[in-house]
Amino acid sequence: MDRYPPIAEHGLVGDLQTAALVSSQGVVDWFAAPRFDSPSIFAALLDHDRGGYFRLAPEETDASCKQLYYPDTAVLVTRFMSPDGVGEVFDFMPPDQTRTPTDRHTLIRGVRAVRGTVHFTLECRPRFDYGRAEHQLALDGQGALFRAPGIDGHLQTTFPLERDGQDVRGKVTLRAGESHGAVFTVCASGAEAPAFPTVDGLTEEFEEVVRFWQQWLCQSRYRGRWPELVHRSVITLKLLTYAPTGALVAAATTGLPEQVGGERNWDYRFTWVRDGALSVRAMLDLGFVEEAAAFVHWLVDRLREREGEGEDGEPLQTMYRVDGNPELPEETLDHFEGYRGSFPVRIGNGAADQLQLDIYGEAVYALAQGGEIAQRVTYQGWRALARTLDWFTENWNRPDEGIWETRGGRKDFTYSRVMSWVAFDHGLRLAETFRRPADLEGWRRARDAIFEQVMQRGWSETERAFIQHYDDDVLDASLLLMPRVAFIAPRDPSWLSTLDAMDRRLVSDSLVYRYDPAASPDGLRGSEGTFSLCTFLYVDALARAGRLPQARYTFEKMQMYANHVGLFSEEVGPSGEQLGNFPQAFTHLSLIMAAVTLDEALDHEQGR
């Protein structure tokens, strides 16, 4: 067992309230419960010795490992192949279909021999509360109870277990056609223990979960050129959505580094207004209206809850917990060494208190996507939106920390101004389309003033391009969204010139950096990889600009950087390794957007 397998050597399973990572060696090395943003139970990915893990794999060290998803599902299959036999581990979590928060979550691990004989071993070593809480073990044959403050962990198997200190081990030998299983259930302290599993019962659970995912995916109306890639991305977005509220977390993990050994290690298990708002468009493009509508309702609730707080309060916060709680205090887990020594490991996120004005544009953009979504905004929701835009007419022209959450001081970021323009432009469209009461003249004046400012101050004659902020000539890949949000025509000469400048400054073998930290210090040490989100935005912009051969080649090359089961983290490192929290929702939603745009452009070119 590798102390720290590559970030990309994992698959994701989840139940729509939380999720776990399973390495290609059969190790659950990340799992937090009862929610995405809860303290971890297995976190060996952040500290091999202190984090805890759950291994189920063959004894043979020479067995090769392969991983895949059962077709069109979130059921992960890990295959182990050795001279003596071939075995498989099936990992899945029964999905929440009630949309009711629960403390009880179940990870099912089924094992079977496909050929020959396979000797499986099990090690279960939970470390509750990020490894800070001690637990006590009660063991009874095939059932183990791990008791920690406020939480119980039940491990039940169809084969014997033995004590290993306060942890457990087990062994089972399988011959071709034989199956066994292990079920790990977390629940509140003292809650009723789950029923003991049977092999037949686990088979039924497997079939039910497969049926759930395949039926859900049947809603997809995507008929383009990359169905497996797009459908894996939308399943991943679904896995990263907290069903009780419809809130999308940015990633399933915390603390995975943007540079191994560096300090850019953040907690992404929260809901960013920006990411969730853009996911609405991606979901609608594929036909998943209910998921899009659920996030819109969550967003409107955030707008409404701060009504009446006075003129000084911000109507929206950058990010929230999945239940809408705005409290995300940032702290460091000093006892964790971090992934391959990447310290500090942070939980919570201090960027929640930053001023990021672009989120108002993304919020209104989400509300304006598709007539069916817009029509679901109630009168109370519209009133909250209108009051937000009224407030924004007096506040859009402020320096902020920007989309990349820099910690080097506020600036006049061009992207923030572009999305401020989007807020008013789409707000005006909504008001006029649905005949809603609004300060149309005030919104229109603000929109037009922003446009003039960006065209005059956000343009660099030196670079012949739109720039990151008004104080220098640094480029920024976030501006690749300008044609998508209709701020500028995709074939306008100034935009084509900007694309050319980005080719020169930000693109490396089709991969795109978000900006150059050396040229525009962001208050943090170290460097980072190319940003996968930005690469897919680049594909989208190229396709809109009519540069279809370049767009398609870039998109096809980017697929090479997906992991073995089609997942992407946040960044791609210098050697092609995946970096950052995993898997990242922003990357997968931008993949969907790029695929849809590129398909439409290619179809148009081919006269379809």
Side-chain angles (χ1 to χ4, degrees), residues 54 184 221 233 286 328 385 417 425 495 523:
F54 181 6
F184 187 82
R221 62 184 180 212
S233 289
L286 302 186
L328 287 76
L385 175 61
R417 296 292 189 270
D425 187 61
W495 176 247

Side-chain angles (χ1 to χ4, degrees), residues 359-582:
I359 64 174
Y360 296 98
E362 283 122 4
V364 184
Y365 182 79
L367 298 177
Q369 295 303 304
E372 185 172 349
I373 296 298
Q375 290 179 43
R376 297 190 187 199
V377 178
T378 63
Y379 167 69
Q380 290 78 13
W382 173 258
R383 186 175 64 179
L385 175 61
R387 289 181 178 177
T388 298
L389 288 177
D390 290 342
W391 171 88
F392 204 36
T393 60
E394 304 296 328
N395 287 274
W396 64 264
N397 199 23
R398 299 159 62 187
D400 69 349
E401 276 89 3
I403 179 176
W404 305 128
E405 301 178 348
T406 59
R407 302 195 177 191
R410 293 180 177 179
K411 296 181 174 65
D412 291 307
F413 285 101
T414 305
Y415 178 78
S416 294
R417 296 292 189 270
V418 169
M419 295 310 295
S420 298
W421 177 91
V422 170
F424 292 114
D425 187 61
H426 281 73
L428 286 164
R429 294 185 192 183
L430 283 170
E432 292 168 347
T433 300
F434 295 102
R435 306 295 190 267
R436 296 289 189 262
D439 179 13
L440 298 181
E441 284 305 313
W443 296 2
R444 191 173 288 113
R445 282 194 301 271
R447 180 194 64 181
D448 295 346
I450 296 168
F451 184 83
E452 292 290 346
Q453 186 187 94
V454 170
M455 298 304 290
Q456 293 173 17
R457 300 182 63 193
W459 172 263
S460 166
E461 284 294 333
T462 302
E463 291 290 341
R464 299 296 300 168
F466 292 101
I467 49 177
Q468 183 181 58
H469 56 78
Y470 297 165
D471 296 336
D472 57 37
D473 293 328
V474 173
L475 300 183
D476 192 314
S478 65
L479 296 175
L480 288 164
L481 274 166
M482 290 175 71
R484 171 172 269 275
V485 298
F487 184 91
I488 195 167
R491 303 191 189 193
D492 185 288
S494 62
W495 176 247
L496 296 179
S497 177
T498 298
L499 269 182
D500 292 338
M502 289 190 182
D503 283 339
R504 294 192 303 270
R505 304 291 191 195
L506 299 181
V507 180
S508 174
D509 188 32
S510 297
L511 299 174
V512 182
Y513 291 94
R514 53 184 181 171
Y515 60 92
D516 181 359
S520 180
D522 55 14
L524 296 165
R525 297 188 301 274
S527 61
E528 60 183 23
T530 56
F531 231 66
S532 298
L533 155 71
C534 296
T535 303
F536 287 120
L537 295 183
Y538 180 58
V539 171
D540 190 282
L542 288 171
R544 292 174 187 273
R547 300 178 178 181
L548 295 184
Q550 186 182 2
R552 184 165 189 174
Y553 186 47
T554 300
F555 190 77
E556 297 281 359
K557 287 177 73 174
M558 190 58 184
Q559 295 178 45
M560 298 167 54
Y561 295 99
N563 81 342
H564 54 287
V565 289
L567 302 182
F568 287 92
S569 63
E570 186 176 30
E571 301 183 14
V572 176
S575 302
E577 72 276 19
Q578 295 208 34
L579 296 171
N581 285 304
F582 179 88

Side-chain angles (χ1 to χ4, degrees), residues 4 6-7 256-265 338-343 527-529 571 573-574 577-580:
Y4 293 104
I7 293 171
L256 294 181
E258 297 176 18
Q259 178 187 30
V260 174
E263 68 169 334
R264 299 167 185 261
N265 318 315
Y339 176 82
R340 297 187 179 181
S342 302
F343 183 84
S527 61
E528 60 183 23
E571 301 183 14
E577 72 276 19
Q578 295 208 34
L579 296 171

Side-chain angles (χ1 to χ4, degrees), residues 101-369:
T102 178
D103 290 332
R104 185 178 292 266
H105 299 274
T106 301
L107 172 64
I108 298 176
R109 314 200 70 190
V111 291
R112 71 174 184 180
V114 177
R115 191 180 68 234
T117 301
V118 185
H119 305 282
F120 280 96
T121 63
L122 176 151
E123 294 178 80
C124 188
R125 304 180 182 279
R127 297 293 182 267
F128 297 90
D129 188 24
Y130 305 109
R132 297 179 296 194
E134 298 291 333
H135 69 266
Q136 297 298 316
L137 171 66
L139 180 62
D140 180 15
Q142 295 170 204
L145 170 59
F146 304 92
R147 290 195 181 98
I151 189 170
D152 287 345
H154 296 268
L155 175 63
Q156 298 166 316
T157 61
T158 57
F159 53 89
L161 297 172
E162 62 183 32
R163 178 183 288 270
D164 183 7
Q166 295 300 317
D167 304 318
V168 297
R169 300 175 58 88
K171 294 184 179 182
V172 62
T173 297
L174 300 179
R175 294 171 179 80
E178 294 180 340
S179 300
H180 274 278
V183 180
F184 187 82
T185 303
V186 293
C187 55
S189 290
E192 182 181 357
F196 264 90
T198 64
V199 172
D200 288 344
L202 294 179
T203 299
E204 291 176 7
E205 288 263 25
F206 166 81
E207 292 172 350
E208 184 175 341
V209 171
V210 165
R211 186 161 50 249
F212 169 87
W213 283 105
Q214 291 182 343
Q215 289 178 351
W216 178 80
L217 193 60
C218 282
Q219 299 174 72
S220 174
R221 62 184 180 212
Y222 181 76
R223 301 294 181 269
R225 294 165 177 79
W226 302 281
E228 290 188 9
L229 193 66
V230 168
H231 286 156
R232 180 52 50 199
S233 289
V234 78
I235 289 174
T236 302
L237 293 184
K238 180 74 169 175
L239 281 171
L240 294 175
T241 299
Y242 183 67
T245 64
L248 175 79
V249 297
T253 58
T254 182
L256 294 181
E258 297 176 18
Q259 178 187 30
V260 174
E263 68 169 334
R264 299 167 185 261
N265 318 315
W266 313 109
D267 193 344
Y268 274 19
R269 299 171 298 153
F270 308 116
T271 300
W272 271 252
V273 169
R274 176 186 307 113
D275 303 32
L278 291 175
S279 75
V280 170
R281 181 67 265 164
M283 285 294 192
L284 289 176
D285 282 343
L286 302 186
F288 294 97
V289 176
E290 291 306 313
E291 284 73 13
F295 181 79
V296 166
H297 288 309
W298 179 91
L299 180 58
V300 170
D301 286 344
R302 304 289 78 73
L303 288 170
R304 292 186 61 192
E305 67 191 3
R306 291 199 180 184
E307 282 191 275
E309 291 191 5
E311 295 298 320
D312 296 333
E314 301 289 337
L316 276 179
Q317 189 167 288
T318 303
M319 70 188 85
Y320 300 82
R321 295 189 182 276
V322 290
D323 61 358
N325 186 334
E327 300 299 323
L328 287 76
E330 184 173 297
E331 62 178 296
T332 298
L333 299 178
D334 292 326
H335 61 293
F336 272 4
E337 70 173 2
Y339 176 82
R340 297 187 179 181
S342 302
F343 183 84
V345 175
R346 298 181 178 91
I347 56 175
N349 200 308
D353 297 326
Q354 288 188 350
L355 179 66
Q356 298 176 25
L357 294 174
D358 67 284
I359 64 174
Y360 296 98
E362 283 122 4
V364 184
Y365 182 79
L367 298 177
Q369 295 303 304

